[in-house]
Amino acid sequence: MTGQMEPVSILSLATETPPHVLSQAEALDAARGLIGRNFGDFERLSTVYANAGVQFRQLAMPVDWYRSPRTLQERAAVYLAVALDLFVTAAARALAEAGLRAEDVDAIVTVSSTGIATPSLEARAMAHLPFRSDVARVPVFGLGCAGGVTGLALAGKLARAAPGSTVLFVTVELCSLALRTNNADKADIVSTALFGDGAAACVVRGGVDGFAQLCGAAEKTWNATLDIMGWQAEPTGLGVVLNRAIPAFARREMRQAMAEMLAPQGFGIADVDRFIFHPGGAKVVDAVEGALSLGEGSLATERAVLRDHGNMSAPTALFVLDRCRKAGLMPLTVLSALGPGFTTSSLTLRCPA
């Protein structure tokens, strides 16, 4: 899906993390006790903790909670409680920054793939924030790491389709709830070295009065790539699917994909002043930097977010966008992420000087 959009603006952006901070050294120690005893090759693979580019991440629960086997029901209960709290906090902060009230919101786009909530999170949030009873609800599941970009693009399209409307976009992911201690494999070791929990929210509305205009959106999904990234249903919850070939795939495919996404908008790679990427991991950041021939260190902000928070799935790209906007966005910026599908999603942003 590729399209040119009439400008709508991002009025505000808020990011949130849960309060339980885990250092990478503590993550390795915990994983050694939880996974190492059942995985004979753990010590050889444990170098991933030093190479992941992560120093800290924030978790939905204290680390001791993860030391005991958890049922699907227990994980679901934590997801509902913590994800709702992060949703409400991030949404309230985004609305306050935009100078708006919950009653001003016409539509809510919610993106989350790490838990199941029916009724969905925005419906549950109505008990805490006074959204109107006629607010349009658009919950989206299954986008994974690409969800922050794809969800924000969807919010922009809804705002464009109904001129004058205000759209709230919220994404919440609690990746830590997918921790498996039994039957763990290499993907589980990588995930415990890489993933954290977090949320982000944006307010989007037509016009040019925000910090960035959403002027184009595109996606590309590759054929026969369903096994690269995603979830598999298990008796105790969601088990991670994470292919080690992702960095090589990104290095090989991202340049052509980006050129294809930008061309219908009248741009080439060289026209973009700044690419902002979802930092899926240290090797993925390196691969994207190389694929687009960006200068070494061009994605330093991405690496800093990965260092401080880990890969939080969908919200992570918005954490990077938030840091970039505080430092000053470049005039033509492209926000992009890779996610299950296997899909890359991009948003073209026009930013005032």
Side-chain angles (χ1 to χ4, degrees):
M1 178 178 61
T2 304
Q4 193 82 3
M5 297 194 299
E6 293 298 324
V8 298
S9 290
I10 311 174
L11 302 187
S12 62
L13 170 56
T15 61
E16 289 292 335
T17 57
H20 310 292
V21 180
L22 186 73
S23 72
Q24 192 71 323
E26 291 169 324
L28 172 57
D29 180 66
R32 181 176 282 117
L34 292 170
I35 298 175
R37 61 176 181 250
N38 299 319
F39 195 89
D41 216 16
F42 179 85
E43 291 303 327
R44 182 181 68 84
L45 296 172
S46 65
T47 56
V48 69
Y49 291 87
N51 299 328
V54 179
Q55 291 185 15
F56 300 96
R57 86 282 304 277
Q58 295 76 41
L59 302 180
M61 298 294 285
V63 67
D64 284 345
W65 185 89
Y66 301 90
R67 296 185 190 278
S68 300
R70 297 295 175 178
T71 66
L72 173 60
Q73 290 80 5
E74 288 174 308
R75 296 173 194 265
V78 169
Y79 174 81
L80 290 179
V82 177
L84 177 59
D85 181 64
L86 291 173
F87 183 109
V88 170
T89 304
R93 287 189 54 227
L95 288 167
E97 182 186 321
L100 297 171
R101 305 170 303 160
E103 296 94 320
D104 298 319
V105 175
D106 299 293
I108 307 171
V109 176
T110 304
V111 168
S112 187
S113 300
T114 47
I116 298 173
T118 305
S120 48
L121 292 174
E122 75 285 341
R124 297 168 186 270
M126 293 175 80
H128 305 272
L129 294 170
F131 296 116
R132 300 196 315 267
S133 61
D134 65 345
V135 69
R137 296 170 45 218
V138 188
V140 183
F141 178 86
L143 296 175
C145 292
V149 179
T150 306
L152 184 54
L154 175 57
K157 291 172 184 177
L158 291 174
R160 180 188 59 154
S165 65
T166 297
V167 182
L168 173 65
F169 167 57
V170 185
T171 177
V172 183
E173 300 292 8
L174 303 183
C175 304
S176 68
L177 297 184
L179 173 66
R180 290 186 294 187
T181 56
N182 296 320
N183 301 317
D185 59 17
K186 294 179 182 179
D188 293 290
I189 294 175
V190 173
S191 68
T192 58
L194 185 60
F195 287 103
D197 302 334
C202 297
V203 176
V204 176
R205 190 169 61 189
V208 295
D209 54 344
F211 69 82
Q213 296 173 35
L214 307 180
C215 58
E219 295 176 38
K220 177 182 175 65
T221 298
W222 288 273
N223 293 327
T225 56
L226 296 178
D227 61 344
I228 289 183
M229 180 187 292
W231 295 124
Q232 58 187 13
E234 299 182 349
T236 58
L238 299 172
V240 66
V241 175
L242 195 63
N243 195 306
R244 62 182 297 180
I246 292 174
F249 186 95
R251 186 178 296 275
R252 184 177 66 249
E253 300 288 343
M254 273 303 295
R255 187 174 189 88
Q256 180 63 30
M258 187 60 68
E260 291 176 7
M261 290 190 291
L262 289 174
Q265 302 173 43
F267 300 122
I269 290 173
D271 297 318
V272 178
D273 298 305
R274 171 67 155 97
F275 287 98
I276 296 175
F277 283 98
H278 163 72
K283 291 183 178 180
V284 175
V285 175
D286 291 344
V288 170
E289 208 169 54
L292 297 183
S293 301
L294 304 177
E296 185 177 349
S298 295
L299 304 182
T301 305
E302 285 82 346
R303 292 183 173 92
V305 168
L306 182 66
R307 178 196 66 214
D308 295 341
H309 302 289
N311 179 350
M312 298 166 284
S313 190
T316 319
L318 299 179
F319 275 67
V320 182
L321 177 60
D322 193 37
R323 291 196 185 192
C324 288
R325 67 139 175 171
K326 289 173 180 175
L329 287 168
M330 301 294 285
L332 185 64
T333 297
V334 171
L335 180 68
S336 185
L338 288 159
F342 193 55
T343 297
T344 183
S345 181
S346 71
L347 263 178
T348 304
L349 309 178
R350 286 281 192 187
C351 308

